[in-house]
Amino acid sequence: MSANLRKAKKLFSSRFIFPRLISNNNKSINKILINNPSFQIVNKKRYFQTSIFLHSEISTSTNPEELTSDPIDNDVMDSAMESLSNLATTGNTTTSSANVDNNPSPNTSTSGASCSITAPNSDDRSNTSTAAAADGTFIEEKDSIEVKDPNLIFQLIVKNLEDKFGRNRLYFPKEIYFLVGAPGSGKGTMLKYINAQRGLTARPITVSELLNSAEMQEIKNSGKLISDRQVIEAVFTKLLDPMNENGVVVDGFPRTVVQAQCISLLYDLMLQLRQEFQNDPIVSQKFRRPSFRLCVLFVDEKVSIERQLSRGKKIIEQNKIVKETGLGQMQEVRQTDIDESAAKLRYKYFRDSIYESVKFLKDKIPFNFIDASGTIEDTAENIAKELAYQSSLELGKTTFDLISSIPTSEEICTHARQLLVRRLDGYSQRNSELFRKVIQVIKTEFLHIIQRQALSGVAIIRSENPIFKENPLALTMVLDVLTERGFQVILDYERKLVPTRIDPFDHTIIHEPVRVFHFEIQFEKPRIRN
């Protein structure tokens, strides 16, 4: 056995092996993952043999901490990769491991045995995940070993996208709304309300549809499970569709912590691309500041189960009518629609897996928790409140800082009525004479015109009354009095030259400027016919 292979086995004994590979020799780990797909997917028997080999061949008790402090020699790395890849592909082992029992030798050191590869139970036939490795890098699912490091998964996906589209063409949408919901929360129904609230026209990206594509069906038909990497890459590829450029809702994503972590990495990538291409005159406008939202439609377990079973009853009844009449289409009845225990398990999966995964993003992107336990109208109203425009979240920081000194209309209008009352009382107390004159002008010059235009809902009054020219406060008084009376007033004025006399010496016409004030007074008009 070569010295390099012995060092490789020593290296693999450390539970810190894969973090080291990723951080210290990223090129090598990427190389084996990309060029040796058999390393990622092996059948259980060979996978078990590989794990046993790694355990049984390690006869040293070297401290893993000491191993991790040493630099990784490239020759050792190559031998390690070649050894493990060959084992994963062929299941061949050395003489000392060929006849090994299903359990490691008692004399075998276990200080580094619980490393990044975990031997599954050979009798396990579950379709769901079993146990994660100690460092969380790999997890065994059915008959495969799946890479579970989000950074590595994300790097591989981005590389594929760059190869397919080009780095300067990774135009992800500025606005992306990730939507997940408890079973029975009406997620599909609420999609149109979310699109309407945010002015989105792109068709939502529904992950369940992506998983039913021809490519995904081929994977499932081969007996394999669809991995996080494949789901994430399918979603990211769809996001690059030009139809989604102005914003899109992603329905049913994320469902795992890895998927949630990749959303966070996508956000960082979009910021990086924006900075990288900011001086490119051609594509700089395509790389916009990302605006992500995570929306969770929530109902409690009791409501969820009731709605799932109710849905099943309705579908069964509808299918019965379709069968009898031949009109319409049969709908699928899921086990969770008719079995209460299955419905409970589905809700438990949402609570324990999906909801736990999205909580990872709470500190990264805006998180909208929407109560969906009421009627459709109530839930739609909750969505409108939660997804209302917020400039601090959607504008760039520099832009927001520049305009935030200007109060919003809501801020201005908050105390407008109280200020109006205060001004009117002030006119009466401190400017009573002028106030009385203004009220008299309204009575004599305004009221009769308003009354004649009552059916139209608008009256336009032009006034040259000198009281407005002599004291501008009179104009404010008119506006406040009419506003208090329920009218909406728009004030404008024009300057015109009025001939006043003829010069006796040269007989020219002398003009003087005059201001004419225009009051457009609007009010609710009566209905004559229904």
Side-chain angles (χ1 to χ4, degrees), residues 325-385:
T325 63
L327 301 175
Q329 292 183 340
M330 301 285 285
Q331 298 184 44
E332 178 188 4
V333 180
R334 296 176 294 197
Q335 186 67 21
T336 54
D337 295 333
I338 56 177
D339 186 338
E340 183 174 346
S341 60
K344 286 183 178 180
L345 283 175
R346 187 181 176 205
Y347 185 86
K348 184 178 185 299
Y349 173 73
F350 164 78
R351 183 189 60 209
D352 297 344
S353 299
I354 299 177
Y355 183 59
E356 286 300 314
S357 69
V358 300
K359 280 166 46 176
F360 172 84
L361 293 169
K362 288 182 68 173
D363 298 329
K364 182 74 174 185
I365 64 177
F367 185 96
N368 299 107
F369 189 86
I370 300 170
D371 181 9
S373 59
T375 63
I376 292 177
E377 293 74 17
D378 291 338
T379 305
E381 185 177 346
N382 291 337
I383 288 174
K385 291 177 182 177

Side-chain angles (χ1 to χ4, degrees), residues 136 148-154 228 232 236 253-268 292 357-361 364:
K148 279 295 184 181
D149 182 277
N151 291 286
L152 181 57
I153 290 175
F154 187 78
D228 273 330
I232 296 166
F236 285 8
F253 188 85
R255 285 180 169 268
T256 67
V257 174
V258 171
Q259 292 174 11
Q261 289 172 317
C262 284
I263 289 176
S264 177
L265 293 172
L266 175 63
Y267 186 92
D268 294 337
F292 287 8
S357 69
V358 300
K359 280 166 46 176
F360 172 84
L361 293 169
K364 182 74 174 185

Side-chain angles (χ1 to χ4, degrees), residues 450-497:
I450 294 173
Q451 289 169 347
R452 286 203 302 267
Q453 300 297 326
L455 296 178
S456 67
V458 60
I460 298 176
I461 299 169
R462 296 177 176 83
S463 175
E464 298 180 21
N465 195 305
I467 191 174
F468 300 129
K469 181 179 180 181
E470 294 167 0
N471 195 330
L473 182 60
L475 289 171
T476 305
M477 289 180 176
V478 171
L479 296 177
D480 285 344
V481 169
L482 291 175
T483 299
E484 197 282 334
R485 296 287 86 187
F487 299 98
Q488 297 176 359
V489 187
I490 300 174
L491 173 64
D492 196 5
Y493 75 91
E494 65 173 324
R495 292 171 63 92
K496 66 178 183 179
L497 296 176

Side-chain angles (χ1 to χ4, degrees), residues 35-210:
N35 297 335
N36 297 277
S38 57
F39 178 69
Q40 301 177 57
I41 301 175
V42 294
N43 65 43
K44 281 188 174 182
K45 182 178 178 182
R46 290 174 181 171
Y47 172 47
F48 184 78
Q49 290 174 340
T50 302
S51 180
I52 294 301
F53 170 73
L54 293 176
H55 282 74
S56 62
E57 286 296 308
I58 298 164
S59 58
T60 178
S61 59
T62 304
N63 188 340
E65 296 292 344
E66 294 177 1
L67 283 172
T68 57
S69 64
D70 297 333
I72 299 178
D73 183 83
N74 286 334
D75 292 336
V76 174
M77 176 66 68
D78 291 340
S79 294
M81 292 300 183
E82 182 180 359
S83 173
L84 184 57
S85 182
N86 288 338
L87 286 167
T89 305
T90 66
N92 294 329
T93 60
T94 63
T95 304
S96 60
S97 62
N99 300 318
V100 70
D101 293 333
N102 284 349
N103 295 306
S105 169
N107 298 325
T108 300
S109 168
T110 58
S111 63
S114 56
C115 58
S116 298
I117 301 181
T118 306
N121 184 339
S122 59
D123 295 328
D124 182 15
R125 294 294 180 266
S126 171
N127 288 329
T128 58
S129 300
T130 54
D135 65 357
T137 305
F138 291 87
I139 188 167
E140 198 274 334
E141 290 188 355
K142 200 176 180 180
D143 290 337
S144 66
I145 303 174
E146 181 185 346
V147 179
K148 279 295 184 181
D149 182 277
N151 291 286
L152 181 57
I153 290 175
F154 187 78
Q155 291 172 17
L156 295 174
I157 291 173
V158 172
K159 181 181 183 305
N160 289 344
L161 295 178
E162 289 178 351
D163 292 343
K164 184 175 182 179
F165 300 100
R167 186 172 179 83
N168 63 344
R169 292 292 185 271
L170 298 183
Y171 306 146
F172 291 99
K174 172 180 171 58
E175 294 188 44
I176 305 177
Y177 296 85
F178 299 98
L179 176 66
V180 296
S185 62
K187 187 161 54 71
T189 303
M190 290 300 117
L191 281 172
K192 63 180 180 181
Y193 292 98
I194 295 175
N195 274 358
Q197 175 63 30
R198 298 304 305 170
L200 303 177
T201 57
R203 186 175 181 271
I205 298 173
T206 304
V207 173
S208 60
E209 292 181 3
L210 296 181

Side-chain angles (χ1 to χ4, degrees), residues 285-318:
Q285 295 301 314
K286 294 285 188 178
F287 294 100
R288 296 173 292 175
R289 178 175 177 265
S291 175
F292 287 8
R293 290 279 189 94
L294 179 60
C295 305
V296 179
L297 297 179
F298 185 83
V299 295
D300 62 29
E301 183 177 24
K302 180 181 178 182
V303 173
S304 174
I305 293 172
E306 288 176 352
R307 289 184 177 179
Q308 290 182 74
L309 298 179
S310 174
R311 174 183 181 274
K313 292 178 181 178
K314 291 178 181 177
I315 292 178
I316 291 173
E317 187 64 30
Q318 178 63 29

